[in-house]
Amino acid sequence: MVTPLELVKKKRAEAINRIISKGYLSSKRVYVGMATCEIAAGSKEVMEVFVNAIKKGLAGVYLSQKGCAGRCNLEPTVEVVEEGKIPIKYGKVTPQKAQGIIERHLKNGEVIKEWMIE
């Protein structure tokens, strides 16, 4: 018979594994705008670029979606949040720009100033 303490320890271990496997503790976070207007502007295709990069081995990055930022003229938007740094918001992101964000910003630490939203 399983004791209550053993059950709690098992549940705790499962929860920790879930947190780690979903990337919640990652030092880099990417948020793709997925409000209705952003989807109409092409954010699903942008999100797919990030999803595929993670599937192909882009490590240490937590990927999620965010709601409306109220900047319809700059959509689709992508926000990169890195531990200890100011969040960077990119606007008018295409799938090609998303690939550039992966290669230049996420892999090499280069903020792409010409794509930034000030």
Side-chain angles (χ1 to χ4, degrees):
M1 184 168 150
V2 178
T3 68
L5 181 57
E6 290 171 336
L7 183 60
V8 168
K9 285 181 179 180
K10 180 182 178 208
K11 293 291 184 187
R12 182 178 188 274
E14 289 171 356
I16 290 171
N17 286 335
R18 219 174 15 257
I19 288 168
I20 292 169
S21 71
K22 291 189 182 278
Y24 292 139
L25 303 179
S26 300
S27 61
K28 295 179 184 178
R29 296 171 176 257
V30 175
Y31 298 97
V32 178
M34 294 291 284
T36 306
C37 51
E38 295 218 44
I39 291 170
S43 66
K44 276 189 177 181
E45 292 81 6
V46 170
M47 177 65 98
E48 194 62 31
V49 171
F50 288 103
V51 167
N52 287 334
I54 290 170
K55 284 180 183 175
K56 292 178 182 174
L58 179 64
V61 176
Y62 170 74
L63 177 63
S64 188
Q65 58 188 38
K66 64 179 182 166
C68 181
R71 305 292 300 267
C72 296
N73 62 320
L74 299 172
E75 295 172 351
T77 61
V78 171
E79 184 174 8
V80 177
V81 180
E82 294 180 272
E83 195 173 303
K85 297 181 180 179
I86 295 172
I88 303 297
K89 293 179 183 164
Y90 293 109
K92 298 185 179 183
V93 179
T94 62
Q96 294 77 22
K97 283 184 177 181
Q99 192 61 48
I101 292 167
I102 291 165
E103 296 300 325
R104 293 168 65 185
H105 190 145
L106 297 175
K107 290 183 178 178
N108 295 316
E110 174 192 351
V111 174
I112 309 166
K113 294 184 194 283
E114 62 270 20
W115 298 347
M116 280 178 54
I117 297 172
E118 297 288 333

